[in-house]
Structures are given as C-alpha cells and as structure tokens.
Amino acid sequence: MNKLQHNYLEINGIKMHYVTAGQGPLVLFLHGFPEFWYSWRHQLAALADQFTVVAPDQRGYHQTDKPSWGYEIDVLVADVVALIEALGHQQALLVGHDWGGAVAWATAMNYPHRVRRLAILNTPHPVAFAKELRTNRQQQQRSLYMGLFSLPFLPELLLKAGDYALIDLALTSATRPDAFSEDDLDAYKDALSVPGALTAALNWYRAAARGGMQGLTGGKVRRCEVPTCLIWGEDDPYLGVELIEATRPYVTDLMVHRLPGAGHWVQQEAPEEVNRLLGQFFT
C-alpha cells in the first residue's frame, strides 16, 4: 500500500499543503466545502497503484495559507495550474467535487492544454448552473444557503454554533449516513477550526457573489472541450439531477454515470463505485 506523504509548495503567492502517493500520470483531486484533502482518502488509496495522486488543501483550507485575497475563480484556477507545473507535470487528470468541481470546470475551459481528462462529481457546468439559478425555482430553493454564506459575519457565527452542529448535520444527512464515522466528522471540524479557515472557506462564496457569471467561469470560454466524465449521486439535496441534462450542451465529449442511493458526498458515500469509474476513465 502506498503511504501518503504530506508536502508544501510555494505557488501563486501562497504556501499550499498537499498529500501525494504513487507514481505515474498525475491525478489531481480538488475538494469542495466544507472539506479538505481528506475527502479524497478513498480515491487516493485506490488509484495510487497506477498514478501519482495529489490532493491539495485548496486556498484558505486546513493547512494551506489563508490570505485575505484571491478567492475569485480565476485565482483559484491559477493555483491549480501553478500546482501542476510545480509538481513537474505539463498536464493532469483532473477530478473535482462541489467547489472543487467548479474550479476543475473553469480550469478545463480556460486551460484545456493543462487538463488531459476531466472527472466531475456532483457539480454542473457553471454556465448551466447559473442558468438554472435564474430559471429553476427548485434549484433556487436548494441553493438558498449560498446567499446566506455570502453575507459578512453571520455565517461564521451560525456554522461555529454548537461545535459546528450544522456541519455535522450536512454530512450525516447524507443518503448513506455511514459514509462518515465520528473520526471523520471530527477531522472536518478540526480542519475548519484552524484559525482563519472558516472565513477563508466562506470567502469563496463571497467572491462568487461579487463576480456574477465571471465569478463562476473564470473567463470567456463557455464550452468544455476536454473529455469529461460526470459522476452524479442521484440523491443530492443541494443539486437536482436535472442539472445533468442542463450540462450536456456545454460539453463536447461527455460521459455520465448516475449513482442511485448516493448523494452529494458521492466519493465518500459510494467510494467503490467512484473508484471503479475513475480508474476506467483514466486508463
């Protein structure tokens, strides 16, 4: 079994923490909110026999620097490109979930020569998502928390209350609640408890709210031409399955896998299925 190594790199004005294992083509995993590299623990273990697997704490999270600037999508994409280069690679097989999925979409659209293949988990294409937010009342209701998270001060108070009780609730309300042990929940809360980490994580939402469409795409490119695999837990309470079809017009080469009985935290709720699909797509 490949042992995870913890490392740091100076990239794009910050010190970034990442874990890595294995040898071979680079697979880069991008986590979402309220997570950190640990959300990919099952995938790192499964794919390290064939690939160099790397999972960073993205800007503001856990052990990565938490500057007061740089949470706009174009800066987050620049972090990814700089990380690929700093790791000594020209391209990556890129995997993203939730906010990490948004960054992965934008990276593939704006730097397609850096992304060999793209795997997205429960994250619609950003243009499709923006359209659904304007026209889909159900999705508007599902996404109300995004507006709350973009407010100053209040979301920090709410999320810290009761020893991060809302974080516990969000994770344990997964379709497969046994996906998270007590140790897992403690790990997520410990990561958010690092000084400045919670505010930095929420700054992603605040920057997106300020940026509008540009805040979702990071540039003018609208269509993804990188071969893409979309893996979707069908029971996601935050993103409706209709977003799959809404995504199709914006991707040239799209393969879709729907996983019934799994929800938003799909790589942790259905790790064996996700690992199998990623292995097939990347090899």
Side-chain angles (χ1 to χ4, degrees):
M1 180 178 178
N2 290 277
K3 184 177 180 180
L4 292 177
Q5 299 177 352
H6 292 255
N7 295 303
Y8 294 85
L9 279 170
E10 298 280 345
I11 60 159
N12 202 25
I14 61 171
K15 183 172 72 172
M16 177 173 280
H17 169 257
Y18 66 97
V19 299
T20 184
Q23 289 185 329
L26 174 63
V27 181
L28 185 59
F29 295 90
L30 304 179
H31 66 81
F33 178 91
E35 301 172 286
F36 63 115
W37 73 262
Y38 185 75
S39 67
W40 300 109
R41 59 198 178 280
H42 304 298
Q43 288 68 47
L44 295 170
L47 297 182
D49 287 341
Q50 295 176 275
F51 303 95
T52 298
V53 293
V54 173
D57 292 330
Q58 293 202 80
R59 178 179 291 250
Y61 280 89
H62 195 220
Q63 296 183 38
T64 289
D65 281 352
K66 300 156 186 59
S68 60
W69 59 279
Y71 298 97
E72 295 77 15
I73 200 79
D74 58 332
V75 181
L76 301 169
V77 167
D79 288 348
V80 173
V81 173
L83 179 59
I84 293 170
E85 294 175 347
L87 291 167
H89 293 261
Q90 294 299 309
Q91 286 186 314
L93 298 156
L94 191 59
V95 188
H97 169 254
D98 189 79
W99 262 116
V103 175
W105 278 120
T107 303
M109 285 191 292
N110 291 287
Y111 297 90
H113 60 291
R114 295 296 188 192
V115 183
R116 185 171 150 201
R117 286 194 162 208
L118 178 67
I120 299 290
L121 282 61
N122 279 69
T123 313
H125 186 282
V127 178
F129 185 52
K131 181 178 179 180
E132 291 295 310
L133 282 178
R134 291 194 303 270
T135 61
N136 183 333
R137 183 167 295 179
Q138 284 186 317
Q139 189 55 54
Q140 290 169 357
Q141 293 174 343
R142 295 186 188 107
S143 299
L144 283 174
Y145 73 93
M146 296 179 66
L148 172 63
F149 284 2
S150 67
L151 297 174
F153 309 119
L154 179 61
E156 281 92 337
L157 294 174
L158 292 175
L159 290 173
K160 286 181 180 179
D163 187 26
Y164 294 90
L166 288 178
I167 299 299
D168 268 345
L169 178 63
L171 296 174
T172 56
S173 62
T175 305
R176 302 183 186 178
D178 60 345
F180 300 99
S181 68
E182 287 299 324
D183 287 343
D184 295 334
L185 297 175
D186 287 343
Y188 285 118
K189 291 188 286 187
D190 287 346
L192 285 177
S193 298
V194 174
L198 179 58
T199 292
L202 290 165
N203 282 342
W204 288 50
Y205 291 93
R206 292 161 178 153
R210 292 192 300 268
M213 177 61 74
Q214 181 77 12
L216 290 173
T217 64
K220 296 182 179 180
V221 179
R222 292 292 183 262
R223 191 174 180 85
C224 180
E225 298 183 352
V226 174
T228 302
C229 174
L230 180 62
I231 301 171
W232 201 282
E234 292 185 344
D235 297 337
D236 191 329
Y238 309 109
L239 298 163
V241 293
E242 66 271 14
L243 294 174
I244 298 172
E245 294 306 313
T247 290
R248 288 188 187 275
Y250 299 100
V251 189
T252 302
D253 181 359
L254 179 65
M255 178 187 305
V256 174
H257 297 279
R258 296 173 59 156
L259 300 186
H264 184 69
W265 320 103
V266 62
Q267 74 270 33
Q268 298 170 86
E269 295 184 53
E272 292 183 358
E273 295 101 312
V274 169
N275 295 347
R276 177 180 58 82
L277 292 170
L278 291 178
Q280 289 177 348
F281 183 59
F282 290 154
T283 55

